[in-house]
Amino acid sequence: MSDRAYALFEEQQKARGIDLNVVKERLKALKIETPSWGYGDSGTRFKVFQKEGVPRNPFEKFEDAAQVHALTGLAPSVAIHIPWDKVEDFGKLRSHAEGLGLSIGAINPNLFQEDEYMLGSVTHADAAVRRKATDHLLECVDIAKETGSRDISLWFADGTNYPGQGHIRKRKAWMQEALTEMYKALTPKMRMLIEYKCFEPAFYHTDLADWGMAYNLAQKLGPQAEVLVDTGHHFQGANIEHIVAYLLDEKRLGGFHFNSRKYADDDLIVGTVNPYELFLIFYQILDAANDEDAAIRDNVSNIAYMIDQSHNIEQKIPAMMRSVLNVQTQFAKALLIDHKEVAEAADRHDVLAAEHAVRRAFEFDVTPLLHAIREEQGLPVDPMQAYLSSSYGKDILVRGKGGASW
Ligand code: PSV
Ligand code: MN
């Protein structure tokens, strides 16, 4: 992209009253965490596909994640899943990450893969299973202390498949009991992010099925508990940006798991199915970033942006690059919204003008802007091309097949 393309873009935005220096600073500050499980082998419930070159252990997952960050400048931290990423010495993993220019991000307990959890983990009717599950949550708090992680991200597969299978209200109490015990173990700087999902793997009821249940629990637990919005975890047609605005107004939006869905929790690359939804999520966030309430602004600055996808048919590293780049593109577009123009149109009750003021930002081609910031940051202008023409993808093939799953 030529300097001329950028000059034209700058002129066009200046005429709209958009200060590109501010836009560029905000773009450079965007950080998106990638998940360790996005680098390992993955699949559907029908088949886990084994790929050549997949990391064999958590250390190699961080090496692959470092490529994503080195070429995009967007992904300096990596979320880990326990026990998938359990190592003997987390201090060693932490130094390995830091040596690669990364940090260890959110800790994700895993309470869905052991036989005992078939009928629930923290909501299981058997107290011994609940104890085991709660102990795992406490273990994850200890791991977070060692890794220096601020966030512990909770998702429960708990739920039932048939009416009568479990006592819904008792399970609600057990969930609260376990999380209360975990909450007490948090250090003052830690946060507990509570994720919800409407269905799957449970198909009748899920103990934390929607944002309202997660929010209610977070409120009961205390200010260090916040809600995590996984974009794939809603029913068809749910207005996710409305949920985002609501949680921001309540100062309880902890973070996101970004991915795309067409039908349910499809875990497709974020921004590939409905980029406008992602743009509108950022519209709400940027609107809240200008709020007169400092606590709302503070919530905006502490949102954890994370990717949560499994790339079953794609090459892992470029798929993760595509993901963070797609988020960056929609964020860039949302930064071009003239909020004053939207508000004035809304105040005049000019519905069409208000909608136009939002949508026109989405319709700009932000390529010259993204190229300009990458040049300023000393990054390749086209990170994907840079990766594909590097030897990294071929070099890792020596790892062979049969690497880590998830
Ligand atoms: C569940 O579908 C989920 O979104 C949760 O965040 C898990 O931790 C993650 O996927 C990986 O299984
Ligand atoms: Mn998730």
Side-chain angles (χ1 to χ4, degrees), residues 274-341:
N274 187 356
Y276 197 52
E277 178 182 74
L278 183 57
F279 166 87
L280 293 176
I281 287 172
F282 280 123
Y283 163 44
Q284 289 305 325
I285 293 171
L286 292 169
D287 180 77
N290 294 325
D291 201 278
E292 55 194 28
D293 183 343
I296 294 180
R297 297 201 302 274
D298 190 53
N299 188 166
V300 170
S301 48
N302 284 306
I303 297 172
Y305 298 111
M306 300 178 273
I307 302 287
D308 181 10
Q309 298 162 188
S310 34
H311 307 119
N312 307 332
I313 58 169
E314 312 91 319
Q315 279 181 61
K316 310 279 169 190
I317 299 172
M320 200 57 86
M321 290 177 61
R322 172 54 59 225
S323 308
V324 295
L325 293 169
N326 283 359
V327 174
Q328 183 185 44
T329 301
Q330 296 313 321
F331 183 57
K333 287 177 181 242
L335 284 166
L336 301 179
I337 297 171
D338 182 342
H339 294 265
K340 199 162 153 265
E341 185 188 339

Side-chain angles (χ1 to χ4, degrees), residues 174-191:
W174 289 326
M175 170 72 73
Q176 189 177 331
E177 193 178 277
L179 267 56
T180 302
E181 191 175 336
M182 179 189 166
Y183 190 91
K184 287 186 186 140
L186 298 177
T187 66
K189 286 205 173 126
M190 283 182 185
R191 302 192 309 174

Side-chain angles (χ1 to χ4, degrees), residues 37 81 84 108 112 155 195 197 230 233 257 265 308:
W37 56 98
H81 224 293
W84 294 337
N108 290 248
F112 50 85
W155 175 71
E195 184 172 352
K197 182 173 180 177
D230 182 312
H233 289 188
H257 273 178
D265 189 19
D308 181 10

Side-chain angles (χ1 to χ4, degrees), residues 84-130:
W84 294 337
D85 296 312
K86 199 162 174 174
V87 290
E88 251 168 51
D89 182 352
F90 278 100
K92 211 168 138 199
L93 186 63
R94 186 177 177 171
S95 331
H96 180 69
E98 286 167 3
L100 293 163
L102 299 174
S103 62
I104 301 182
I107 309 295
N108 290 248
N110 182 323
L111 291 169
F112 50 85
Q113 275 209 319
E114 287 177 52
D115 286 341
E116 286 103 315
Y117 298 144
M118 185 175 78
L119 300 178
S121 64
V122 291
T123 64
H124 199 288
D126 181 342
V129 178
R130 297 202 298 278

Side-chain angles (χ1 to χ4, degrees), residues 109-300:
N110 182 323
L111 291 169
F112 50 85
Q113 275 209 319
E114 287 177 52
D115 286 341
E116 286 103 315
Y117 298 144
M118 185 175 78
L119 300 178
S121 64
V122 291
T123 64
H124 199 288
D126 181 342
V129 178
R130 297 202 298 278
R131 186 66 257 155
K132 178 182 155 128
T134 310
D135 285 344
H136 178 58
L137 295 176
L138 298 174
E139 177 196 4
C140 287
V141 175
D142 286 337
I143 293 173
K145 287 179 192 158
E146 284 181 69
T147 55
S149 300
R150 175 190 63 170
D151 295 338
I152 301 162
S153 189
L154 305 180
W155 175 71
F156 299 93
D158 294 44
T160 59
N161 274 6
Y162 299 98
Q165 180 193 322
H167 191 285
I168 293 179
R169 283 184 297 109
K170 275 187 193 160
R171 292 171 68 106
K172 174 174 176 283
W174 289 326
M175 170 72 73
Q176 189 177 331
E177 193 178 277
L179 267 56
T180 302
E181 191 175 336
M182 179 189 166
Y183 190 91
K184 287 186 186 140
L186 298 177
T187 66
K189 286 205 173 126
M190 283 182 185
R191 302 192 309 174
M192 177 195 272
L193 306 185
I194 306 173
E195 184 172 352
Y196 57 90
K197 182 173 180 177
C198 49
F199 71 95
E200 201 217 9
F203 292 110
Y204 172 63
H205 108 284
T206 294
D207 289 287
L208 286 178
D210 64 28
W211 70 271
M213 296 181 199
Y215 169 66
N216 180 44
L217 190 52
Q219 250 190 333
K220 284 179 177 154
L221 291 167
Q224 286 170 256
E226 300 193 37
V227 180
L228 186 141
V229 177
D230 182 312
T231 46
H233 289 188
H234 305 85
F235 288 114
Q236 291 281 21
N239 184 335
I240 301 179
E241 57 272 24
H242 179 188
I243 297 170
V244 168
Y246 195 101
L247 289 171
L248 278 170
D249 202 64
E250 295 293 328
K251 301 125 196 150
R252 287 294 174 130
L253 179 62
F256 288 94
H257 273 178
F258 285 134
N259 46 55
S260 264
R261 51 74 62 83
K262 178 78 177 160
Y263 301 103
D265 189 19
D266 307 331
D267 275 355
L268 304 177
I269 292 177
V270 55
T272 52
V273 176
N274 187 356
Y276 197 52
E277 178 182 74
L278 183 57
F279 166 87
L280 293 176
I281 287 172
F282 280 123
Y283 163 44
Q284 289 305 325
I285 293 171
L286 292 169
D287 180 77
N290 294 325
D291 201 278
E292 55 194 28
D293 183 343
I296 294 180
R297 297 201 302 274
D298 190 53
N299 188 166
V300 170

